[in-house]
Amino acid sequence: MGTPLLQVNNLSVVFDNAKAVSNISFEVMPGELVAIVGESGSGKSVTALSMLQLLPKQAAITGEILFSKENGVPVNLLQLGEKAMRAIRGKDIAMIFQEPMTSLNPVLTCGDQVMEALQLHQKVKAAIARQKTIELFEKVKLPDPSQMIHRFPHQLSGGQKQRVMIAMAMSCNPSLLIADEPTTALDVTVQKTILELIKELRRPAKPGGQNGMSVILVTHDLGLVADMADKVVVMYKGTIVEQGSAAAILKNPQHEYTKALLHCRPSLHKKGERLPVIGDLVTDNSVTGSGLQVNDVCEEEMGHEAHITNKQNNPVTLNPQPVLEIEDLKVYYNAPGSVFKKTPTPFKAVDGVSFGVSKGETLGLVGESGCGKTTLGRAILQLVPVTAGKIMLNGTDLVQLPRKKMTDLRKDLQIVFQDPYGSLNPRITIGEAIAEPMQVHGMAANKGQRKEKAIELLEKVNLKAEHFNRYPHQFSGGQRQRICIARALGLNPSFLIFDESVSALDVSVQAQVLNLLNDLKKEFQFTSIFISHDLSVVRYISDRIMVMRQGQIVEEGITEEVYFNPQHEYTRRLIDAVPGKKLESSR
């Protein structure tokens, strides 16, 4: 078997008398990829952060984490001083964090941040570090790498920022890569490229040689687990409920919680069908071995919701008159480095786009990172300047609308942003964040009523009333995204734009939010644009799909037609790159 590269023994982590991780043990062999899966808040990220001593000082940690360095002598990472840990971080153990915008320094260029890691750990000169950085940017498929090194994080899309983080993590050829939701913000084609790169780094340098990099993959994407993992560790409420080979667990899971995770995926259900969630399928008793039968519960749940399912599976009837009409919309930016030229070359983020969205319709917008999806969404809400074109909402051109009238209209136009941490004020509680828009727009008679409404919204997105007075940093990434969704729904908007709004959520919470969106859509008949790189989610939630590439629409049509019979080569490539085909064929 050999010596494990990393061995976690009886690890427990306690915050303010609350156990986040409880007595877990597992190991990672050289060259092995171990996936840690579970719901948001199950302790996955806490486990990963404890390995590099990145948890807050108030965290009480017991147990041991043994790491075998090049000399083969294991050291307990939990007992090392800060200086010794700095020597290990980045060089021997690297980490890709879940939220790239908050992990990158906003005042340094992306190139400088990668070069800093190379110069610190590999002691190379600036010129060599620069060349290696460009090569790394090429490997992670960043466009125009020689120019990208001069850009700041705010000038990149969410997926591009994540690729910078991945390049930085792999820059020093670490023995162990800890990847916390590394492909959450990436479209399927770039995701496939990154995963192939990680696979390449795991292979032996020479036939018969030592294994390459080991990987701990923290993820909620079971498709990735099926395609990538050698071993799976399933966590629930801070404990490990099941672990073993990926093939055995995914094909024949033994624990009811694991079965429930597999059953919640949107790809297993028809459009509009009520998605089961963990709370429907698993009780705390089942975690201790009571033996809940998942299939029986699913049938009971689906039978209970049959009237909803049957109604939602009817063919969609849309109002032929669009609520939103986009006519030849263009959003151009001056290319970096061309500001002082007499005739600057524009970067065409959105280039002559035209389409309509009918009342009550959900339009799915897909495409690679940097194709213009987010810019298009923000242009509709007048959050970025429009170069040319019209944005007609119920007959009113938003481009020509005075600022005061646009401010009043924002009550009916809401967006759920891709980066939940960056869109929440860290200095105010999440209850205040949800109630603040209601106060601005004069909703509810007083503070008490706004609080009551905010708590109601928190409970709708599977959070609790007691969370009202907590701050953003006290929540996991998936929980923060749910807070942002609750805030957007607080004004009862008639038009919503969801920008990768479920990409950070585990399958169960994702199912709950998708159910919630379907319920709210049925009740309020709001119109929405759903931006996502997850084609299985877009297929489930959307009435139509629109495919975007390099600022232009290359294909659009009814969801099922586009998904199962794509006409454009680019659309076919996106669908072919969707992970988890191995998992789907085994179910």
Side-chain angles (χ1 to χ4, degrees):
M1 288 292 293
T3 304
L5 177 68
L6 185 85
Q7 194 166 4
V8 177
N9 296 322
N10 303 316
L11 177 68
S12 294
V13 181
V14 179
F15 295 98
D16 300 326
N17 297 320
K19 273 196 173 182
V21 174
S22 182
N23 199 36
I24 67 169
S25 300
F26 65 93
E27 60 185 32
V28 182
M29 301 301 292
E32 186 177 46
L33 192 148
V34 177
I36 304 178
V37 301
E39 292 179 278
S40 174
S42 65
K44 308 186 302 293
S45 294
V46 170
T47 300
L49 291 169
S50 65
M51 296 174 188
L52 289 173
Q53 292 191 21
L54 294 176
L55 292 175
K57 291 182 179 180
Q58 63 265 34
I61 307 175
T62 58
E64 59 180 9
I65 302 175
L66 302 177
F67 176 67
S68 298
K69 297 186 70 175
E70 293 177 358
N71 57 15
V73 179
V75 295
N76 187 353
L77 297 176
L78 298 179
Q79 294 180 348
L80 295 181
E82 180 58 28
K83 184 177 180 181
M85 279 306 305
R86 279 201 305 267
I88 288 176
R89 292 187 196 118
K91 182 184 178 190
D92 297 310
I93 305 176
M95 185 163 184
I96 303 168
F97 295 95
Q98 185 174 359
E99 292 168 339
M101 188 62 207
T102 55
S103 305
L104 293 170
N105 190 328
V107 300
L108 293 178
T109 67
C110 296
D112 283 341
Q113 295 184 61
V114 179
M115 286 186 273
E116 181 184 40
L118 286 164
Q119 290 177 284
L120 177 65
H121 292 295
Q122 295 195 348
K123 311 299 181 185
V124 296
K125 294 182 179 179
I128 297 175
R130 182 180 184 278
Q131 185 56 41
K132 284 192 172 184
T133 299
I134 293 173
E135 292 171 4
L136 283 164
F137 282 8
E138 288 175 349
K139 283 185 177 180
V140 297
K141 302 296 182 182
L142 280 166
D144 199 359
S146 60
Q147 289 298 317
M148 191 65 71
I149 64 172
H150 301 298
R151 294 191 187 181
F152 290 89
H154 73 272
Q155 296 175 303
L156 276 61
S157 69
Q160 289 171 339
K161 285 193 281 279
Q162 188 65 290
R163 280 180 269 173
V164 171
M165 284 295 303
I166 292 168
M168 189 186 307
M170 296 190 298
S171 62
C172 297
N173 300 315
S175 301
L176 175 65
L177 175 66
I178 303 171
D180 189 358
E181 302 285 4
T183 57
T184 291
L186 303 181
D187 59 78
V188 287
T189 52
V190 176
Q191 182 183 83
K192 185 176 181 180
T193 300
I194 296 301
L195 296 179
E196 287 296 330
L197 179 57
I198 291 175
K199 283 182 180 179
E200 187 67 31
L201 291 169
R202 291 179 56 219
R203 293 176 185 143
K206 297 178 181 178
Q210 293 184 344
N211 286 323
M213 179 180 68
S214 299
V215 180
I216 294 176
L217 177 66
V218 178
T219 184
H220 63 262
D221 190 334
L222 294 170
L224 289 186
V225 174
D227 290 349
M228 295 286 293
D230 301 309
K231 186 163 66 180
V232 178
V233 175
V234 184
M235 292 190 70
Y236 178 71
K237 292 189 175 180
T239 65
I240 293 176
V241 296
E242 186 170 7
Q243 62 176 304
S245 74
I249 285 182
L250 294 174
K251 289 182 180 178
N252 187 28
Q254 299 301 303
H255 199 280
E256 303 306 330
Y257 178 69
T258 312
K259 295 176 185 178
L261 283 177
L262 289 166
H263 196 82
C264 289
R265 291 170 293 129
S267 57
L268 295 181
H269 302 272
K270 297 178 181 178
K271 174 179 161 28
E273 183 177 88
R274 198 77 176 172
L275 297 175
V277 298
I278 297 296
D280 301 325
L281 309 178
V282 176
T283 64
D284 286 340
N285 290 334
S286 71
V287 176
T288 58
S290 69
L292 176 70
Q293 295 299 311
V294 173
N295 290 337
D296 293 344
V297 176
C298 289
E299 289 172 7
E300 181 180 347
E301 168 70 13
M302 298 315 295
H304 178 67
E305 300 291 347
H307 65 286
I308 297 177
T309 299
N310 292 337
K311 186 168 184 178
Q312 289 181 338
N313 279 339
N314 289 334
V316 178
T317 302
L318 299 174
N319 189 329
Q321 181 61 39
V323 170
L324 178 75
E325 291 181 277
I326 307 297
E327 298 179 13
D328 197 26
L329 187 67
K330 298 177 182 178
V331 180
Y332 294 173
Y333 299 107
N334 288 337
S338 64
V339 176
F340 300 106
K341 290 184 179 180
K342 291 182 180 180
T343 56
T345 303
F347 171 70
K348 299 179 180 180
V350 178
D351 189 19
V353 166
S354 298
F355 65 93
V357 188
S358 300
K359 181 175 175 58
E361 181 184 21
T362 298
L363 175 66
L365 180 58
V366 300
E368 291 178 290
S369 174
C371 72
K373 305 187 302 294
T374 296
T375 301
L376 175 58
R378 294 188 179 194
I380 292 170
L381 273 74
Q382 295 295 281
L383 297 177
V384 296
V386 171
T387 305
K390 293 181 179 181
I391 303 172
M392 307 296 294
L393 182 69
N394 294 319
T396 301
D397 189 355
L398 302 186
V399 177
Q400 303 298 327
L401 205 63
R403 184 173 179 179
K404 175 64 171 65
K405 289 187 177 181
M406 188 64 218
T407 301
D408 295 337
L409 194 61
R410 291 200 188 282
K411 175 180 176 294
D412 294 322
L413 288 168
Q414 289 292 301
I415 184 169
V416 180
F417 292 101
Q418 181 176 1
D419 178 10
Y421 195 71
S423 56
L424 290 171
N425 188 335
R427 296 186 177 185
I428 66 173
T429 66
I430 59 107
E432 292 175 295
I434 295 172
E436 184 182 43
M438 301 182 209
Q439 182 180 4
V440 170
H441 289 280
M443 295 184 65
N446 53 53
K447 186 176 181 180
Q449 289 186 9
R450 288 191 290 270
K451 181 176 180 179
E452 185 178 328
K453 177 68 174 177
I455 290 173
E456 179 188 334
L457 288 164
L458 284 173
E459 290 173 343
K460 278 192 174 183
V461 295
N462 201 28
L463 293 171
K464 299 177 182 178
E466 63 203 57
H467 292 149
F468 183 91
N469 291 316
R470 295 186 186 178
Y471 290 86
H473 73 273
Q474 295 175 290
F475 295 89
S476 68
Q479 289 170 326
R480 284 194 285 265
Q481 189 63 284
R482 282 181 273 164
I483 292 164
C484 291
I485 292 171
R487 180 178 61 181
L489 295 172
L491 298 177
N492 298 322
S494 62
F495 195 100
L496 278 161
I497 295 178
F498 299 96
D499 189 2
E500 300 284 7
S501 58
V502 297
S503 62
L505 304 182
D506 59 76
V507 286
S508 176
V509 177
Q510 182 184 83
Q512 187 176 44
V513 171
L514 292 174
N515 285 339
L516 173 64
L517 295 181
N518 272 333
D519 289 344
L520 292 169
K521 179 180 175 181
K522 180 184 174 186
E523 181 179 352
F524 298 106
Q525 291 296 303
F526 62 72
T527 306
S528 59
I529 294 177
F530 197 93
I531 301 170
S532 180
H533 64 265
D534 190 332
L535 289 166
S536 65
V537 171
V538 171
R539 176 196 165 201
Y540 172 80
I541 198 73
S542 303
D543 302 310
R544 283 191 302 132
I545 291 180
M546 192 163 67
V547 184
M548 198 168 183
R549 183 189 187 195
Q550 295 178 352
Q552 298 181 331
I553 305 302
V554 297
E555 185 168 357
E556 63 177 304
I558 300 299
T559 297
E560 299 297 311
E561 293 177 2
V562 173
Y563 192 86
F564 290 107
N565 188 29
Q567 299 301 304
H568 197 280
E569 175 60 31
Y570 176 70
T571 310
R572 287 195 288 269
R573 198 161 72 241
L574 286 179
I575 293 171
D576 289 342
V578 174
K581 291 184 174 63
K582 186 190 302 183
L583 180 61
E584 298 304 326
S585 63
S586 69
R587 303 310 297 170

